[in-house]
Amino acid sequence: WSLGRLFSLTPSWSHPVIAADNLSGPSLAPPKGIYLHGGPGCGKTHLMNVFYDSLSSSSSSSSSSPHQQKVHFHKFMLDVHRQMHLAQTVHGIRGSDAVLHHVLTRILQKGRILCFDEFQVTDVADALLLRRLFTGLVDRGAVVVATSNRSPRELYKGGLQRELFVPFVDWLEETLVVVGMWDSEVDYRLVMSGGRGVAGGVSVSGNDSDYDDDDDSNPHGRVH
């Protein structure tokens, strides 16, 4: 299973420093990412956390540079839109391609292995941007690991201009290994909480705080 290949990521691939003016990607082909989908408590977030923590422990003595990041997907997209706005208003960057290049640079400098919890699409601005954004990330050597309560075909279902979003779904299914976990009979929220009642949710650890603050801080948040 491809998760085993992800667990075998070597420092020679996952640690390279990405300069702002050099986003050509690693010389070694990155492994395929994974899209885990299933119901609440099925263990998908726990599995991603185990993977993420294994990278953190294996890299602690080999590199001081960040090479992986974990963030709630909604929070990640808020920051993407904010960075696009700042690229134009603060840095004076013009043209959609140049703006996207700037945003990709900022993302990859925080880590080439991207772990997204609660991948979902409810906003038309996100829906129209995702294919260009994720194609750019993967083409530059990023590996995406995502969890979601929806299968790819259920994303943004019934959304405005969904026909323009469908090519991203096709790309997602072709580029990532899609794994359904709907048959799980264990509620891992209860396991992780020691069986004390129904868990209200699973927290995301790691460097999610990287998206709370930035050198180009902006009080306005999301910009459409």
Side-chain angles (χ1 to χ4, degrees), residues 45-60:
T45 296
H46 174 63
L47 190 57
M48 184 179 72
N49 287 344
V50 172
F51 165 65
Y52 180 89
D53 291 341
S54 74
L55 292 174
S56 300
S57 60
S58 65
S59 66
S60 58

Side-chain angles (χ1 to χ4, degrees), residues 7-8 20 57 60 104 113-114 126 128-130 169 171 174 210:
F7 272 97
S8 67
S57 60
S60 58
L104 292 171
I113 303 173
L114 306 171
D126 290 350
L128 299 179
L129 174 63
L130 282 177
V169 175
W171 177 90
E174 293 172 1
D210 285 350

Side-chain angles (χ1 to χ4, degrees), residues 156-213:
Y156 197 52
K157 193 170 184 179
L160 185 65
Q161 295 182 294
R162 190 177 187 274
E163 68 277 5
L164 300 179
F165 176 74
V166 171
F168 172 71
V169 175
D170 297 335
W171 177 90
L172 194 67
E173 292 181 333
E174 293 172 1
T175 306
L176 306 185
V177 177
V178 179
V179 179
M181 299 179 63
W182 296 93
D183 294 333
S184 175
E185 297 180 355
V186 178
D187 189 332
Y188 284 91
R189 296 171 300 177
L190 299 181
V191 173
M192 299 306 294
S193 65
R196 298 186 301 273
V198 178
V202 180
S203 64
V204 180
S205 58
N207 61 353
D208 184 69
S209 59
D210 285 350
Y211 290 85
D212 288 330
D213 196 8

Side-chain angles (χ1 to χ4, degrees), residues 8-212:
S8 67
L9 285 174
T10 60
S12 62
W13 176 80
S14 59
H15 288 185
V17 176
I18 304 175
D21 58 349
N22 181 16
L23 287 175
S24 58
S27 57
L28 298 176
K32 267 195 168 186
I34 292 182
Y35 183 97
L36 300 170
H37 63 96
C42 72
K44 55 189 183 295
T45 296
H46 174 63
L47 190 57
M48 184 179 72
N49 287 344
V50 172
F51 165 65
Y52 180 89
D53 291 341
S54 74
L55 292 174
S56 300
S57 60
S58 65
S59 66
S60 58
S61 61
S62 58
S63 174
S64 59
S65 301
H67 66 282
Q68 77 267 1
Q69 54 181 307
K70 182 168 58 173
V71 62
H72 193 280
F73 186 69
H74 177 66
K75 193 173 187 178
F76 171 78
M77 290 307 300
L78 286 175
D79 189 71
V80 166
H81 287 279
R82 185 175 68 93
Q83 290 296 339
M84 292 177 67
H85 175 68
L86 293 174
Q88 299 174 69
T89 59
V90 175
H91 300 288
I93 299 173
R94 295 292 178 263
S96 60
D97 290 342
V99 169
L100 182 62
H101 178 87
H102 174 83
V103 173
L104 292 171
T105 300
R106 299 300 294 260
I107 293 171
L108 293 175
Q109 285 175 335
K110 294 178 181 178
R112 179 172 285 173
I113 303 173
L114 306 171
C115 296
F116 297 117
D117 198 36
E118 299 293 340
F119 193 107
Q120 61 178 333
V121 184
T122 59
D123 186 279
V124 64
D126 290 350
L128 299 179
L129 174 63
L130 282 177
R131 187 179 184 186
R132 291 185 66 212
L133 177 65
F134 275 80
T135 298
L137 289 170
V138 171
D139 285 350
R140 288 161 173 79
V143 169
V144 174
V145 179
T147 72
S148 180
N149 291 335
R150 296 176 179 269
S151 68
R153 290 288 159 187
E154 293 295 311
L155 290 171
Y156 197 52
K157 193 170 184 179
L160 185 65
Q161 295 182 294
R162 190 177 187 274
E163 68 277 5
L164 300 179
F165 176 74
V166 171
F168 172 71
V169 175
D170 297 335
W171 177 90
L172 194 67
E173 292 181 333
E174 293 172 1
T175 306
L176 306 185
V177 177
V178 179
V179 179
M181 299 179 63
W182 296 93
D183 294 333
S184 175
E185 297 180 355
V186 178
D187 189 332
Y188 284 91
R189 296 171 300 177
L190 299 181
V191 173
M192 299 306 294
S193 65
R196 298 186 301 273
V198 178
V202 180
S203 64
V204 180
S205 58
N207 61 353
D208 184 69
S209 59
D210 285 350
Y211 290 85
D212 288 330

